[in-house]
Amino acid sequence: MNKFFVLAVAALAIACVRADSFDAAAETREYKSDLKEDGSYAYQYQTSNGIAGQESGAGGQYASGSNAYYAPDGQLIQLIYTADANGFHPSGAHLPTPPPIPAAILKSLEYIRTHPHQESRQGQGRF
């Protein structure tokens, strides 16, 4: 049992070293950057191990861009995003999504929207 455990840990360590060595030896293949006086900017990069990214925007106002890399299992992970006064908005097939809202809940929300409370209709509350 102990021999199996030691062999498993050794195999895992070798696999990690290989992956880390590959990434550690990665080089930047392309890098471009443009910063303008009005605060707008754009950049892009690509590395030899498959990592790539680009972004453009106006400093402190908005940004949009994308990133891509390969997961340890070989799957290509791509992320597209925007960021503005309403927050950060990422999208990608790898991101979790909420389950659909059940029909009964949607019906209830629509009822609430179309039937405001008595206090709201009269413009006064109970105190």
Side-chain angles (χ1 to χ4, degrees):
M1 180 79 158
N2 286 337
K3 287 181 184 179
F4 176 74
F5 179 73
V6 171
L7 288 175
V9 170
L12 182 61
I14 290 170
C16 289
V17 168
R18 277 191 188 161
D20 288 343
S21 296
F22 177 71
D23 288 337
E27 297 177 359
T28 302
R29 287 190 173 164
E30 178 184 5
Y31 179 77
K32 295 179 183 175
S33 178
D34 185 24
L35 178 59
K36 297 184 178 168
E37 289 184 25
D38 65 358
S40 63
Y41 66 93
Y43 69 83
Q44 65 183 36
Y45 60 89
Q46 185 175 2
T47 65
S48 61
N49 63 346
I51 298 172
Q54 62 85 26
E55 182 176 292
S56 62
Q61 303 298 313
Y62 66 89
S64 63
S66 64
N67 292 302
Y69 64 94
Y70 287 94
D73 65 0
Q75 177 185 4
L76 177 62
I77 304 295
Q78 295 178 305
L79 176 73
I80 298 171
Y81 61 88
T82 59
D84 56 24
N86 296 316
F88 180 68
H89 309 283
S91 65
H94 65 291
L95 296 175
T97 57
I101 300 172
I105 299 298
L106 289 172
K107 185 177 178 182
S108 296
L109 291 171
E110 180 61 17
Y111 179 85
I112 291 168
R113 186 186 69 78
T114 58
H115 295 84
H117 287 79
Q118 180 74 19
E119 296 87 18
S120 299
R121 280 187 256 149
Q122 295 176 352
Q124 48 186 298
R126 295 182 196 164
F127 294 101

